[in-house]
Amino acid sequence: MTSGLIIVGLIVALALWIMSIYNGLVTLRQRTNQSFADVDVQLKQRHDLIPALVETVKGSAAHERETLDAVIRARQAAVAAPNVEQKVAAENGLTSALGRLFALGEAYPDLKANASFQQLQTELGDVENKLASARRFFNNATQEFNSAVQRFPAVLFASALGFHSLPFFSAGDNRAEMEQAPNIKF
């Protein structure tokens, strides 16, 4: 009888311990989801500014069609990206395309002096700063979640409970392309 109670007590303690770990992982996953939603809000603001920017550039640099098309395609890919991994890749492509678009301002003095272009460039710069902060917060939340999933003893059953490591929001393989100086044609 006493050994039966000890076994039942151990089973209940084990169940409570696993439930505690599960609830902790759920909390961390929700924090990661919430932080990615913050990133998504900033990305939406960025996506909303791009059509106005492209229209402004069209007026001053209409023959830079290739650059404008690249920005539009990159924006469409970023808006349509279905998951975090594809969204990160698409946003990195969009950042690179925007860099080439802003470089046009250096090649076309009329465009650089255009008040609308300057305002859009300032607004986009503000959104980029907020986006950088949101990305840092997301990556911190992701690091905390990934550490919890990979730490012992959660690593023993986290995968069986549906918890897997999440990707970070980083420049990844596109970093070299993003840091490369744009090719400007005169």
Side-chain angles (χ1 to χ4, degrees):
M1 171 100 172
T2 306
S3 64
L5 286 175
I6 291 174
I7 291 173
V8 169
L10 287 175
I11 290 172
V12 168
L14 180 63
L16 289 174
W17 181 60
I18 290 173
M19 189 170 65
S20 170
I21 290 173
Y22 178 84
N23 288 339
L25 291 175
V26 167
T27 300
L28 292 173
R29 183 171 55 192
Q30 289 304 319
R31 186 177 303 150
T32 302
N33 290 341
Q34 185 265 327
S35 63
F36 190 77
D38 292 344
V39 170
D40 223 23
V41 167
Q42 298 304 320
L43 292 175
K44 171 86 170 82
Q45 287 182 344
R46 180 164 113 161
H47 297 163
D48 290 347
L49 287 172
I50 290 172
L53 184 63
V54 167
E55 287 301 317
T56 302
V57 173
K58 272 184 186 175
S60 298
H63 57 281
E64 292 288 348
R65 188 81 197 156
E66 183 179 321
T67 302
L68 298 173
D69 288 343
V71 171
I72 292 168
R73 280 192 309 273
R75 180 189 177 272
Q76 289 170 341
V79 169
N83 58 42
V84 174
E85 292 90 358
Q86 292 177 354
K87 192 171 284 269
V88 169
E91 290 298 333
N92 288 337
L94 180 58
T95 298
S96 177
L98 283 174
R100 289 189 298 271
L101 183 67
F102 283 124
L104 292 178
E106 300 298 323
Y108 297 94
D110 290 346
L111 178 61
K112 192 174 184 178
N114 184 319
S116 294
F117 183 73
Q118 290 176 351
Q119 180 184 354
L120 288 167
Q121 197 171 17
T122 300
E123 287 179 34
L124 203 53
D126 184 46
V127 168
E128 292 293 335
N129 287 334
K130 291 176 183 173
L131 186 56
S133 295
R135 284 178 181 151
R136 276 193 299 276
F137 186 75
F138 171 74
N139 284 338
N140 285 339
T142 300
Q143 183 272 331
E144 190 175 348
F145 175 77
N146 288 346
S147 294
V149 166
Q150 296 169 5
R151 264 187 260 143
F152 185 82
V155 72
L156 297 175
F157 43 84
S159 181
L161 295 173
F163 296 98
H164 305 283
S165 294
L166 299 172
F168 290 98
F169 205 118
S170 68
D173 296 337
N174 293 337
R175 179 175 293 282
E177 181 182 330
M178 292 168 62
E179 293 174 351
Q180 187 177 27
N183 184 16
I184 301 172
K185 300 173 190 166
F186 291 97

